Amino acid sequence: MSDELLRVENLCKAFPIGGGFLEGKRRWLKAVDRVSLHLERGETLGLVGESGSGKSTVGNLILRLLDADSGSVRFEGVDVTRLKGAELTRARARMQVVFQDPQSSLDPRMTVGNIVSLPLKILGLATGGELRERAAASLAEVGLGPECLDRYPHEFSGGQRQRIGLARALVADPAFVVMDEPTSALDVSVQAQILNLMGDLQSRRGHAYLFISHDLTVVRHVSRRIAVMYLGAIVETAPTEKLFETPGHPYTRALLASVPVPDPAQRRNLARLTGDVPSPVDLPPGCRFHPRCPEAMPCCASVEPPSVELSPGHVAVCHLHNQRNTP
Amino acid sequence: MSAPLLDIRDLSVSFRTYQGRAHVLDRACLTVNRGEVMGLVGETGCGKSVLSRAVLRIIPSPPGSIDGGEILFEGRDLLKLPRTDMRRLRGERISMIFQEPMNSLNPVFTVGNQMREVVRAHRKANRSEATDACLEMLAAVRLPEPGSVLRAYPHELSGGMRQRVMIAMALICNPSLLLADEPTTALDVTVQGQILAILAELAERQGLSILFVTHDMGVVAQLCNRVAVMYAGQVVEVADVRSIFARPAHPYTRGLIASIPGRSSGGELYAIPGSVPNPIDPPPGCRFRPRCPHAASSECGGITPEMTMVAPDHSVACHLFNQDGLP
């Protein structure tokens, strides 16, 4: 495919727990376990999962904010996991990020103009007066006037700060932006403004988004395809409408059924799953979802489930489909 | 119809700040009937949490002060109650659960220790009687192995378990009113589903009334019987849950419902223009006027709209509706 922008294969990352003085034996928390995904130019891939599922770690690994233990991230044909120095800087100019908390992701002691133009300065794409000019242009694109350049982040509301974050991400004209829960700190009416803005900017500039969120309704609204993560692994990937109409993995089904639908005429039992997400330190053997799975079979506790393609582009990692396909 | 369990009339609360006095609640009115789940929705800073806290008189003073109004609970005005009576009422007749269960539990005492304290503060019970009451309540909120939960410290429990402990603790004296301030906002969606199911069941079985404060319209649609919508310190619309979603009357409520994403994928979301007014210097007349697409008459800018009935069990404070409740 010529349109492919990003291909992630078998990405793994584990964090050590303990092992220090008086901390007992060192154990490993598998935050990301053999994650593979791909993204085409100009498309939006939603990455959903509950807290601790490793979705933010995937974003950080792709951006090289964290180094992967194994696996590859091919971005515009280059494996960024191996890059160093100037080459890494060049690749990073093409990928940017917007974080969840607009309070802590903007330096309170820098003016908005300096914050927005900083990527250009670091990447050496502009100097002097051009920095300010391009910062103003970028701010204008997100709906903020040039009077904002000399103000500080605390003078802005949450929604405006998230616009500043977006202006900073887009100032260097990236091909790919990781949106790490960009609207979960915002109210629903402000969230709508930001989501609309994201869509406008994408149709104008043609960059791709990896949209990380725990909120299925938001992800459904913005994404063309969705990947569902559970305990560090992707359990299902599908085109958005397919995922909502015919979810293949029992976890996806439970997740969809747990979302409170904003329609009092459609009341239902939201308690579809019992128990909490188990700790990623001691992963259950076999399928990682089997202790909570309402459809678990004997083989689920011992054998890792295979990836099964249910229809073009719709993949579920579950024994249920394996049995149906090969009786 | 019998008198409501809780009847808040023209409640005004303000806080002293360095910039001036912030009028966080301005003549807010709200009723909760026996055995119903009343939703209280609004965006950040609209005063919904302050309203629920004012009922228990746990607003820190200074800087806060209750400037006027009445809070009638079971026929008595809580604002005129002596402190000792108020103290007896808290936890026994009215309880509260909060958003972050970790901050509401004492980290240095076991769950059992804290729960028994509640029981023994309100009724004569020896240690083993109190323990029995705790075990029974923990089982009622569907915690597996109540015995071991009782011996655990808060940090040993997951977020969902902690919130269940909080609910058990709040309901152990069988109060008639539970104030729930965003109790599921910090939880994952599958765990949120479990908590909502428990609250709905307890409300039904024990005839408990719940004032459920949230910003999530999905949760409201799934759980509540009636809904009150707050904007900038005022209750602007009250209706049964079906009417709020099917026939929202106030322009703010209409905007709020239209900005919920995920009814289908793609397309523009409705975004309410502008942002919430500053409580220190709110606009005169209707507080929503600067953002309202229908604001026209000079009335909107000069006279604060009064609550008018537009249908049975459906009131709205907006100049679009005249005194007879007609548009």
Side-chain angles (χ1 to χ4, degrees):
Chain A
M1 261 189 296
S2 59
D3 270 5
E4 188 167 285
L5 176 73
L6 177 78
R7 178 165 286 273
V8 174
E9 263 165 6
N10 288 320
L11 203 62
C12 293
K13 179 73 185 174
F15 296 103
I17 302 282
F21 181 58
L22 288 179
E23 282 179 336
K25 198 167 146 262
R26 169 170 290 189
R27 295 187 298 170
W28 294 90
L29 183 153
K30 278 191 179 171
V32 174
D33 191 10
R34 283 161 293 159
V35 162
S36 300
L37 52 88
H38 69 95
L39 202 70
E40 283 168 32
R41 281 186 194 279
E43 87 163 337
T44 301
L45 174 68
L47 190 58
V48 293
E50 296 183 273
S51 48
S53 62
K55 52 196 194 302
S56 289
T57 308
V58 168
N60 290 342
L61 289 171
I62 293 172
L63 296 162
R64 276 289 295 275
L65 296 175
L66 284 172
D67 282 325
D69 295 337
S70 62
S72 67
V73 177
R74 293 192 76 78
F75 177 71
E76 299 192 313
V78 185
D79 186 354
V80 294
T81 56
R82 305 277 168 266
L83 293 182
K84 283 195 182 105
E87 281 177 314
L88 178 61
T89 308
R90 211 174 308 136
R92 275 191 173 152
R94 308 280 298 147
M95 38 172 51
Q96 288 293 329
V97 59
V98 176
F99 295 101
Q100 170 175 359
D101 184 2
Q103 186 88 42
S104 59
S105 59
L106 303 175
D107 189 332
R109 283 172 293 192
M110 284 170 75
T111 62
V112 168
N114 286 338
I115 288 172
V116 173
S117 61
L118 193 62
L120 296 173
K121 205 165 160 186
I122 290 173
L123 299 166
L125 296 173
T127 49
E130 202 193 338
L131 282 174
R132 204 178 154 81
E133 242 167 63
R134 287 186 59 179
S138 194
L139 283 170
E141 273 201 89
V142 299
L144 293 174
E147 73 281 358
C148 301
L149 283 171
D150 298 311
R151 290 164 65 188
Y152 288 88
H154 74 263
E155 299 174 60
F156 295 87
S157 68
Q160 286 172 321
R161 274 186 228 145
Q162 210 54 307
R163 284 171 194 266
I164 296 168
L166 206 52
R168 171 175 66 181
L170 296 178
V171 73
D173 200 20
F176 171 61
V177 183
V178 173
M179 306 293 281
D180 193 352
E181 305 248 15
T183 61
S184 48
L186 304 176
D187 279 315
V188 61
S189 70
V190 183
Q191 165 175 285
Q193 295 173 6
I194 298 292
L195 294 179
N196 286 341
L197 176 65
M198 273 178 56
D200 289 349
L201 291 167
Q202 185 177 42
S203 54
R204 242 181 309 176
R205 307 178 61 149
H207 50 257
Y209 288 122
L210 177 66
F211 193 93
I212 299 171
S213 178
H214 67 277
D215 188 335
L216 273 159
T217 50
V218 173
V219 169
R220 178 183 195 173
H221 184 78
V222 298
S223 313
R224 210 182 66 174
R225 290 187 302 125
I226 296 178
V228 181
M229 279 190 86
Y230 184 74
L231 276 180
I234 291 181
V235 295
E236 183 164 6
T237 312
T240 301
E241 285 316 307
K242 266 258 147 50
L243 190 88
F244 281 84
E245 280 157 20
T246 53
H249 197 284
Y251 175 65
T252 314
R253 280 194 279 247
L255 202 58
L256 291 176
S258 305
V259 175
V261 182
D263 181 0
Q266 288 182 46
R267 287 217 177 169
R268 58 192 188 190
N269 179 16
L270 297 173
R272 288 296 288 268
L273 284 184
T274 52
D276 291 305
V277 180
S279 154
V281 178
D282 299 304
L283 282 180
C287 171
R288 57 196 73 220
F289 185 56
H290 85 264
R292 298 175 81 193
C293 183
E295 295 170 68
M297 302 174 291
C299 65
C300 299
S302 53
V303 187
E304 281 217 17
S307 294
V308 183
E309 185 155 35
L310 305 174
S311 63
H314 186 177
V315 178
V317 185
C318 181
H319 284 298
L320 283 175
H321 303 291
N322 195 23
Q323 289 210 327
R324 266 175 221 157
N325 290 352
T326 52
Chain B
M1 216 165 86
S2 62
L5 178 69
L6 178 73
D7 189 354
I8 300 175
R9 293 179 184 168
D10 292 324
L11 185 66
S12 296
V13 174
S14 65
F15 287 82
R16 198 181 63 220
T17 70
Y18 288 114
Q19 285 82 38
R21 198 153 263 288
H23 300 277
V24 174
L25 284 183
D26 184 20
R27 282 163 290 140
C29 301
L30 184 78
T31 59
V32 181
N33 296 319
R34 283 172 204 277
E36 79 173 353
V37 182
M38 178 72 171
L40 182 59
V41 297
E43 296 179 278
T44 312
C46 71
K48 55 192 193 300
S49 290
V50 169
L51 183 68
S52 62
R53 272 158 219 240
V55 174
L56 279 183
R57 283 171 48 193
I58 52 171
I59 289 173
S61 171
S65 69
I66 296 175
D67 303 331
E70 292 179 317
I71 301 175
L72 300 173
F73 174 73
E74 296 181 329
R76 290 187 292 177
D77 186 355
L78 298 185
L79 296 180
K80 295 204 179 79
L81 226 51
R83 282 173 66 170
T84 48
D85 291 7
M86 193 64 216
R87 186 167 177 170
R88 201 168 310 135
L89 205 93
R90 293 186 191 118
E92 190 172 318
R93 306 299 305 144
I94 308 176
S95 284
M96 188 156 190
I97 51 176
F98 300 91
Q99 175 171 347
E100 191 28 82
M102 191 65 204
N103 300 343
S104 321
L105 290 166
N106 191 328
V108 299
F109 291 106
T110 62
V111 167
N113 215 319
Q114 302 181 49
M115 280 190 83
R116 277 192 295 267
E117 189 189 343
V118 178
V119 178
R120 297 177 76 175
H122 290 291
R123 62 171 186 247
K124 267 197 152 55
N126 63 31
R127 193 183 151 93
S128 76
E129 284 164 358
T131 304
D132 290 345
C134 295
L135 289 173
E136 193 185 316
M137 204 60 225
L138 288 175
V141 295
R142 301 220 194 88
L143 272 166
E145 299 179 55
S148 65
V149 172
L150 220 49
R151 283 188 299 275
Y153 286 89
H155 76 267
E156 297 175 86
L157 306 175
S158 70
M161 289 169 85
R162 272 181 226 139
Q163 198 56 284
R164 266 178 263 204
V165 167
M166 284 307 299
I167 294 172
M169 213 190 249
L171 300 183
I172 199 159
C173 292
N174 205 6
S176 51
L177 178 65
L178 177 69
L179 307 169
D181 188 1
E182 307 237 13
T184 59
T185 306
L187 304 176
D188 279 317
V189 63
T190 56
V191 180
Q192 164 174 288
Q194 298 166 13
I195 299 288
L196 294 179
I198 290 167
L199 285 175
E201 187 197 311
L202 290 171
E204 174 128 9
R205 209 178 55 197
Q206 305 192 353
L208 175 73
S209 304
I210 304 179
L211 180 63
F212 197 97
V213 178
T214 181
H215 64 273
D216 187 333
M217 294 303 278
V219 171
V220 168
Q222 293 295 319
L223 184 72
C224 299
N225 308 116
R226 285 200 306 143
V227 188
V229 180
M230 282 192 79
Y231 183 77
Q234 295 169 332
V235 175
V236 296
E237 185 163 3
V238 180
D240 65 283
V241 68
R242 280 174 182 258
S243 305
I244 277 282
F245 282 89
R247 291 177 299 280
H250 198 283
Y252 175 66
T253 315
R254 289 186 219 165
L256 205 59
I257 286 171
S259 59
I260 303 169
R263 301 197 157 188
S264 62
S265 85
E268 283 271 296
L269 287 173
Y270 178 76
I272 302 172
S275 53
V276 181
N278 183 346
I280 292 168
D281 185 23
C286 172
R287 291 188 168 190
F288 188 58
R289 184 188 51 82
R291 302 174 75 187
C292 183
H294 304 286
S297 62
S298 53
E299 274 189 319
C300 293
I303 306 164
T304 304
E306 295 289 324
M307 272 287 191
T308 46
M309 194 103 117
V310 292
D313 206 12
H314 190 165
S315 318
V316 62
C318 177
H319 289 302
L320 288 178
F321 301 88
N322 62 22
Q323 277 161 354
D324 303 324
L326 295 169

